[in-house]
Amino acid sequence: MSSGSIAVTGIGLISSIGSTVEENLQAIVAGKHGLSRVVNFPTRLREHIWVGEIKRSNDQLSDNLDLLRPHAFTRTGLLGAFAARQALKSANINDVNQLRTGFISSTSVGGMDYTERYGSTYLTSSEWHRYIPSHPAGDSSHKIAKYLGIKGFVTTVSTACSSAANAIMMGARLIHAGRLDRVIVGGADALSKFTINGFHSLLILSDEPCQPFDKQRKGLNLGEGAAYLVLESQKSVKQGSKNVLAYLTGYGNANDAFHQTASSDDGEGAFLAMKKALAVAQLRPQEIDYVNVHGTATPNNDLSEGRAMQRIFKNEIPSFSSTKPFTGHTLAAAGAIEAVYSILALQQNLVFPNLHFNTPMEEFDMIPQTTIQYRSASHVLSNSFGFGGNCSSLIFSKA
Amino acid sequence: MTTQGVWRPDFFSEAREIDQAITTADQPSYKGLASPAAIRRMSRGMKMGMYAAQQALGETAVTVPDAIITGTGLGCSEDSDKFLRSMWENDEQFLTPTSFIQSTHNTVAAQIALQLSCKGYNVTHVNGASSFESALLDTLLLLTSGEHKNVLLGGIDEIAEQTYAFLQAAGYIKASGLRETVKNSLSPGVNYAEGAQFFSMGVDQTETSYGEVVDVALQNELDIPEAGSFLQDFLTTNDIQPTAIDAVILGYNGDENDDLFYNALQQELPLTTPLYYKHLSGQFDSCSAFGLAAAAFILKYQTIPPVLYWNEKNPAKTTWKNILIYNHYRGKDHTLVLVRTC
């Protein structure tokens, strides 16, 4: 690896298919998805949608984290602390403030889950007021940082569904600039009525398990989860004799500048993001072995992303798949969860299956990997796109 | 776009001190900003942001920036509130997507990108009182690494009735009906407001440049006695003596505890002229961008508007070279920004 590469030395993850990285890997290898009906809170949409919900209550998560009650962690903060703790452990970090260590999280929902639950009482009763300051997006980052004992650089990114990819990118750029020795980066988002109803009002939720890149795809399934990566400079890796899981070699961010929620027909933003990431990694498109696509299974995303991939890869499209049929679309966390999956693909030499694919799309001849494929991979590209035209791509390379 | 109206040469000489719990920004006519139908759908934050962005670019030769980076603590609260209320009122039925679409934190940066057809780097930072400084740091990274030549940088937070009512209920915002200022604040909480502050940032000095941002530092938490070492570390990193800081712009907001941090930092800089601005901007997560605008004004015009003086310690200086901006909110999200003449 070039001296400019950023090492990934730790990963942590919780999603609807498992509470650890290992559980997630086992579920994917077994082809076991995590979609179900909503159980954790009441909603009118219960029987209409499938979600990637984590079957642990907030109380169970609090107990697992040994949090003293009453606290004002929202579910986003709980899931984030759960995954970030794993990432630190995986990186063998005991004294988190030993080096210049930062924390960059991301979320789209923030503390909306508690605001939607208790907000209607706030003006008449003070019983739940402790959750009022938990509403802003930055609050979960502060709580997670405090939980991890980080005193220093802490911030938060929110670019809708590409949030975590941008948090990862920001961390890498801070290390490159020599401002941090290591940084914990990623994202967390809890399911909420607000987001479920929002996506429902946009008519982009499928009433069946989602089918990315399929002609019959009907929309997405929402999910929840959190994932964090520990990024370290080469110097920090050498000093600590750290085990490197993978390298973050490329990253790109561009804006589609087409529509607030829809992607352009030619996937311009996605194309530019992938192009930039390849340039940063100094790789040719043909050197990418696997693309973990954004692949939400909305008619618009998959067509736009597919076209962008055709523009980048021409006639040599690498193996690709969307892992969202396993986890649901975990919004701000998706970029981090899928970054961990990309690293697993490199470590385990496998390409994950794109579940529920039956019929190729009419617009192009692109068929995702439908069964698990064991093959050596050196470079994996991961895409994350969001409302507001925010497109980001990351490239991970074998350690 | 602020409680003091739009940015203009006599911005500070015409400024009025805020003495209410919640003060809205003076909204200009948005005619010409977009189609009347589009303007009607836009929240205050979107309108203010797009207007301020246009104004910042208007002072430069840049038409389409290489990147757009924004900071906002609460994001698009007006649309979030709207969608949430309609979800409550209609029990999850008959919901229309417009307010949901516009509720994401990145809406303003996205709308500006759309309007300018700007396909470059686009990120929104959302970390409470250091949201704007996170965006500023991101900007510095892009410009100093040589990746980009110019960046449109903004800090936006809007008043949303319900969100602000909640913050008032929690004691963050003063009670309605009080007439307290930053300096004669007695009751708990602070005076809140809203604003959109945009800056055109570039690697090259131009004829219209205000000054240079040298560095920015962020720190999640500090105890009051640690404010001094936070400052010293920052000055050491930037190889500058405390005596070389001509003015320090402090985030005094009238909250007894918050202001102790500013007192502590001021003591570390006995020869520096202390200034403040939240009596003009009001408190909101990205209000420290107003502090940067004040610094830019001083550097460019080489004069300190009297309304910014914190106390009588006003030396007869004629040049203002190095200015430091210190902000935090409720002991969290401490930031230092160093700017100088260019």
Side-chain angles (χ1 to χ4, degrees), chain B residues 301-323:
Chain B
Y301 299 108
Q302 285 297 304
T303 177
I304 293 190
V307 70
L308 297 177
Y309 284 122
W310 170 248
N311 57 24
E312 303 307 312
K313 204 177 95 183
N314 311 328
K317 282 199 188 198
T318 50
T319 56
W320 304 93
K321 190 167 188 304
N322 296 305
I323 301 179

Side-chain angles (χ1 to χ4, degrees), chain A residues 312-351:
Chain A
I312 288 283
F313 298 106
K314 307 282 190 300
N315 298 323
E316 294 175 74
I317 296 192
S319 297
F320 73 94
S321 64
S322 166
T323 43
K324 289 189 171 71
F326 285 100
T327 58
H329 185 1
T330 55
L331 305 178
I337 289 178
E338 288 159 27
V340 172
Y341 291 168
S342 300
I343 292 163
L344 289 175
L346 290 167
Q347 287 185 311
Q348 307 288 328
N349 292 311
L350 51 81
V351 170

Side-chain angles (χ1 to χ4, degrees), chain B residues 68-271:
Chain B
I68 299 170
I69 306 178
T70 59
T72 176
L74 286 168
C76 296
S77 292
E78 198 179 310
D79 282 299
S80 287
D81 281 5
K82 217 183 272 179
F83 193 77
L84 184 60
R85 270 201 314 275
S86 109
M87 195 173 85
W88 283 338
E89 285 160 13
N90 303 309
D91 192 23
E92 298 183 77
Q93 297 171 92
F94 322 115
L95 293 163
T96 53
T98 307
S99 52
F100 178 71
I101 290 170
Q102 296 184 167
S103 74
T104 55
H105 291 79
N106 58 338
T107 304
V108 177
Q111 284 295 320
I112 296 168
L114 201 54
Q115 198 182 37
L116 299 176
S117 290
C118 177
K119 294 178 179 174
Y121 184 92
N122 187 301
V123 168
T124 297
H125 297 265
V126 293
N127 199 63
S130 62
S131 301
F132 175 71
E133 285 74 9
S134 299
L136 176 60
L137 174 59
D138 199 354
T139 302
L140 287 186
L141 291 178
L142 282 186
L143 295 178
T144 52
S145 67
E147 288 169 81
H148 291 303
K149 285 233 171 292
N150 54 69
V151 175
L152 180 64
L153 163 73
I156 317 108
D157 274 290
E158 66 184 5
I159 290 175
E161 206 181 320
Q162 179 171 281
T163 300
Y164 273 43
F166 291 170
L167 289 172
Q168 208 164 20
Y172 283 60
I173 302 180
K174 285 188 184 296
S176 300
L178 295 172
R179 303 302 290 249
E180 296 181 358
T181 61
V182 165
K183 283 211 170 164
N184 70 19
S185 166
L186 294 167
S187 68
V190 298
N191 290 332
Y192 261 60
E194 63 182 351
Q197 300 91 177
F198 273 76
F199 304 83
S200 184
M201 310 286 283
V203 281
D204 299 320
Q205 184 185 346
T206 68
E207 277 176 18
T208 55
S209 292
Y210 283 85
E212 178 192 357
V213 176
V214 181
D215 198 11
V216 52
L218 283 80
Q219 171 79 23
N220 62 335
E221 283 183 355
L222 286 176
D223 295 325
I224 293 166
E226 295 169 320
S229 60
F230 179 51
L231 170 71
Q232 294 305 335
D233 290 349
F234 182 69
L235 296 180
T236 306
T237 304
N238 287 290
D239 198 20
I240 188 167
Q241 295 296 319
T243 49
I245 305 293
D246 300 307
V248 58
I249 300 180
L250 299 159
Y252 282 112
N253 63 9
D255 178 87
E256 209 179 335
N257 290 322
D258 276 9
D259 289 353
L260 293 176
F261 283 92
Y262 301 115
N263 291 343
L265 197 104
Q266 215 190 120
Q267 280 169 13
E268 302 286 324
L269 299 165
L271 301 176

Side-chain angles (χ1 to χ4, degrees), chain A residues 43-72:
Chain A
T43 169
R44 268 186 178 271
L45 299 177
R46 189 175 193 278
E47 298 304 320
H48 302 280
I49 57 167
W50 295 98
V51 290
E53 183 179 57
I54 295 165
K55 298 294 183 261
R56 286 182 187 231
S57 69
N58 290 354
D59 279 341
Q60 288 169 328
L61 288 166
S62 295
D63 288 344
N64 188 285
L65 293 166
D66 295 318
L67 293 176
L68 292 174
R69 291 191 182 81
H71 61 65

